[in-house]
Amino acid sequence: MRKGYMIVCDGSNGAGKTTVIKAIDAHLVSRGHATVVTREPGGTVIGEKIREVVLCPDTPELCATAELMLFAAARAQHVREKIIPAMASGKIVISDRFDAATVSFQHYARGLPLDLINLLNDIALNGFKPDINIILDLDPAIGIARVNSRGERLDRMEREKLEFLQKARNGYLAQADRDPKRFAVIDASQPLEDVISDAIKVVDHIVAG
Ligand code: Z5A
C-alpha cells in the first residue's frame, strides 16, 4: 500500500520556491496531512554542513567535479536519513530543489557529462523517485533582481553569470519536455497568488490521485 508522497519545488533562482512551498505546506496541513518541509542542498545536519561548503561565496575555486560530488553526497544522506523514513510513516515531503537541479546546474549549465550526473543521482537516490517536480520558470534576470532586493549576500552559485543561470533554466525546461508526467512547469512571472494557485492544483492532482 502506498504511504507518503514527495513533492519537489525547483526552478530558476529567486522564482519563489520558498514562498510557494510555505503555501503548499499550509494547504496540505489544513487538509489534515502530516508534512515535512526540507531543502537541497541541506535537510539534514550533514547536508546543511555540505550546503555551507558548496554555496560559500569565499571559495570560488571549488572545482565542478567536487561541486557535483558534494551535491550528490548531501542528497544520499537526505534520502536515507530523512525522506524515506518520513514517507514510510505516511508524511508528505516537500523539498526545495532535488535531483533535477543537478541535471540543470551541473550538466546543462556547468557542462559536466550527463552520464556522470545520472550515475551520481542513481547512487544518491538508490531507486527512489519524487512523485512530482514543480518547476517555477522565470527569466533569471528577474529572479536575481528579486534575490538582490532581499539585501542578503549572494551565494557562490547566485554570483554566476546570467548566461549560466539561463542555461540552468533551459535545462529544467528540457527535462520537463522529455518527461511531462514527472514535471509540471509553472510561469513564475505571474502574480504570486496565481503561481500559488497553479502549484496547489498540481499538488491536489498528485495527492488525490
Ligand atoms: N544547486 C545545484 O547547483 N545543484 C544541485 O543539485 C542543487 C542545487 C540541489 C541553492 O540555492 C543553489 O544550489 C542554487 C542551485 C544550486 N543556486 N543557484 N544558482 P537555493 O535554492 O537555496 O537558492 P535560490 O535558487 O537562489 O533560491 P532562493 O534565493 O531561496 O529563492 P526562491 O526560494 O526561489 O524564492 P523566494 O525566496 O520564495 O522569493 C524570492 C523573492 O521574490 C521574495 O522576496 C518573494 O517575496 C519574491 N517573490 C516570489 N514570488 C514572486 C512573484 N510571483 N512575484 C513577485 N515577487 C515574488
Side-chain angles (χ1 to χ4, degrees):
M1 203 177 92
R2 113 150 269 150
K3 289 225 164 186
Y5 293 87
M6 182 170 179
I7 294 158
V8 176
C9 195
D10 208 328
S12 312
N13 302 77
K17 301 180 304 310
T18 313
T19 315
V20 170
I21 284 173
K22 274 191 198 138
I24 293 174
D25 185 45
H27 171 76
L28 289 170
V29 169
S30 76
R31 277 164 173 66
H33 294 287
T35 60
V36 171
V37 173
T38 188
R39 68 174 179 178
E40 287 211 351
T44 63
V45 172
I46 291 164
E48 291 296 328
K49 286 182 192 239
I50 294 174
R51 180 182 180 93
E52 276 174 33
V53 172
V54 82
L55 297 185
C56 178
D58 302 329
T59 46
E61 70 273 24
L62 182 68
C63 72
T65 307
E67 176 187 274
L68 168 65
M69 288 177 172
L70 287 168
F71 283 121
R75 180 160 310 127
Q77 187 68 27
H78 195 200
V79 168
R80 288 157 184 78
E81 181 185 332
K82 190 164 183 179
I83 297 172
I84 300 277
M87 288 183 63
S89 67
K91 294 187 175 136
I92 301 180
V93 177
I94 312 163
S95 184
D96 189 332
R97 299 201 187 274
F98 202 57
D99 58 330
T102 316
V103 177
S104 285
F105 282 92
Q106 278 64 54
H107 169 60
Y108 282 95
R110 199 65 92 199
L112 289 175
L114 186 57
D115 54 359
L116 176 62
I117 310 293
N118 288 340
L119 174 65
L120 282 172
N121 264 340
D122 286 350
I123 293 169
L125 297 174
N126 198 24
F128 175 78
K129 263 202 315 202
D131 292 284
I132 189 79
N133 288 58
I134 296 173
I135 304 301
L136 300 188
D137 178 55
L138 185 68
D139 178 342
I142 301 174
I144 287 296
R146 287 185 188 171
V147 172
N148 269 325
S149 71
R150 288 196 301 230
E152 290 164 13
R153 199 173 171 215
L154 292 184
D155 69 37
R156 196 178 58 82
M157 305 290 295
E158 288 162 344
R159 285 164 191 241
E160 289 284 351
K161 293 196 173 75
L162 271 185
E163 188 195 351
F164 174 90
L165 301 177
Q166 184 61 52
K167 284 183 186 164
R169 177 195 193 188
N170 293 342
Y172 284 113
L173 296 176
Q175 291 181 78
D177 261 0
R178 276 202 304 272
D179 193 353
K181 278 203 177 133
R182 210 190 129 198
F183 289 86
V185 178
I186 294 176
D187 174 3
S189 69
Q190 303 177 89
L192 184 55
E193 55 273 25
D194 295 342
V195 178
I196 289 173
S197 137
D198 286 357
I200 284 176
K201 274 186 213 143
V202 172
V203 168
D204 281 347
H205 182 70
I206 292 294
V207 172

